[in-house]
Amino acid sequence: NIGDEGDQNRTWLLELFEKLGVIIHFKELAQRAVCSYAYVLNPRWLTYGIYTVMCNKQAKISAREVVLLLCKEKVADEQGNVLKYPVDKCAFILEAMRQFKLAYPLRDDPHTLVIPNLLPATEPPHRFDKTGALAFEFDFTVFLPRHLLPQLIVQRHQDIAISKDGQWVWQTGVVLANARERARALVTADYHERK
């Protein structure tokens, strides 16, 4: 019987529980129609669900394939507790992957996610002409965080250049195109050189 009004309302209680680590609350996921629930009482359930999808090593995975994978696999946490993934809760795993910027939906199939970390490492042939292009290079003195480029790819996935062979995106790079600005960009990361 906790109301929506007053100082100690539902929002206050959710924020308090989240700060205490009792729950993880995803406000953004609650607002999406696919997830009418947005509470995770066991963070391992979410972590191991995402980990199971990522360890499948499939760069493009459909919602149906995620359901089959999570329902088929015996997923257990580090303490041996078996984690169950009912069919109706698998959409939450997919939405969390999008929210954490681990994956993005395909333009022509929003029910299929692309996981940049699992894309081929080889740069595909593309028609980006570096001649006369404005270039920026960032040197990371200690290390180049491995999540930096995949998160950029997820954030800018709607701008990924498309060819007749597919999208120009791979583990360590992407070609972006903005039709309104008539601009293109080639973004690459060299983790060995830290650039």
Side-chain angles (χ1 to χ4, degrees):
N1 295 325
I2 298 170
D4 289 327
E5 306 297 323
D7 291 339
Q8 295 183 341
N9 59 22
R10 289 180 184 171
T11 304
W12 169 83
L13 184 61
L14 286 171
E15 289 173 0
L16 177 65
F17 281 165
E18 189 170 33
K19 286 176 186 172
L20 292 172
V22 175
I23 65 167
I24 299 174
H25 178 230
F26 298 97
K27 290 178 267 195
E28 298 83 7
L29 292 180
Q31 295 167 354
R32 295 186 62 89
V34 73
C35 296
S36 58
Y37 48 87
Y39 309 100
V40 177
L41 298 177
N42 179 359
R44 285 186 205 92
W45 179 86
L46 180 60
T47 304
Y48 280 86
I50 291 172
Y51 184 73
T52 301
V53 173
M54 299 286 284
C55 285
N56 191 42
K57 301 207 180 297
Q58 219 176 310
K60 293 179 183 174
I61 191 162
S62 70
R64 184 176 178 276
E65 290 170 321
V66 168
V67 169
L68 291 173
L69 176 68
L70 291 175
C71 292
K72 178 186 73 166
E73 289 286 321
K74 179 183 175 190
V75 182
D77 66 14
E78 73 280 0
Q79 298 168 348
N81 300 315
V82 176
L83 304 169
K84 300 284 184 194
Y85 295 91
V87 172
D88 64 324
K89 302 292 189 263
C90 290
F92 189 84
I93 300 293
L94 292 169
E95 287 302 319
M97 290 179 70
R98 291 169 73 166
Q99 201 72 47
F100 295 149
K101 296 182 179 34
L102 297 172
Y104 65 89
L106 280 176
R107 282 186 205 165
D108 56 346
D109 181 7
H111 299 294
T112 297
L113 291 183
V114 177
I115 305 169
N117 279 332
L118 301 178
L119 288 169
T122 320
E123 184 174 339
H126 53 77
R127 293 186 298 266
F128 186 87
D129 185 11
K130 294 180 186 178
T131 312
L134 183 60
F136 296 94
E137 187 173 279
F138 298 95
D139 291 324
F140 290 79
T141 54
V142 181
F143 75 101
L144 173 59
R146 297 289 278 180
H147 70 279
L148 196 65
L149 190 61
Q151 281 192 353
L152 173 75
I153 291 170
V154 171
Q155 286 176 321
R156 305 302 313 167
H157 74 272
Q158 293 176 330
D159 293 329
I160 295 174
I162 298 176
S163 72
K164 62 180 168 110
D165 302 323
Q167 295 184 324
W168 287 335
V169 60
W170 59 103
Q171 264 185 30
T172 58
V174 62
V175 176
L176 302 173
N178 185 306
R180 191 182 76 212
E181 302 294 333
R182 286 187 253 149
R184 294 168 61 96
L186 171 64
V187 183
T188 60
D190 185 333
Y191 293 105
H192 181 70
E193 295 291 325
R194 299 186 301 264
K195 296 181 179 186

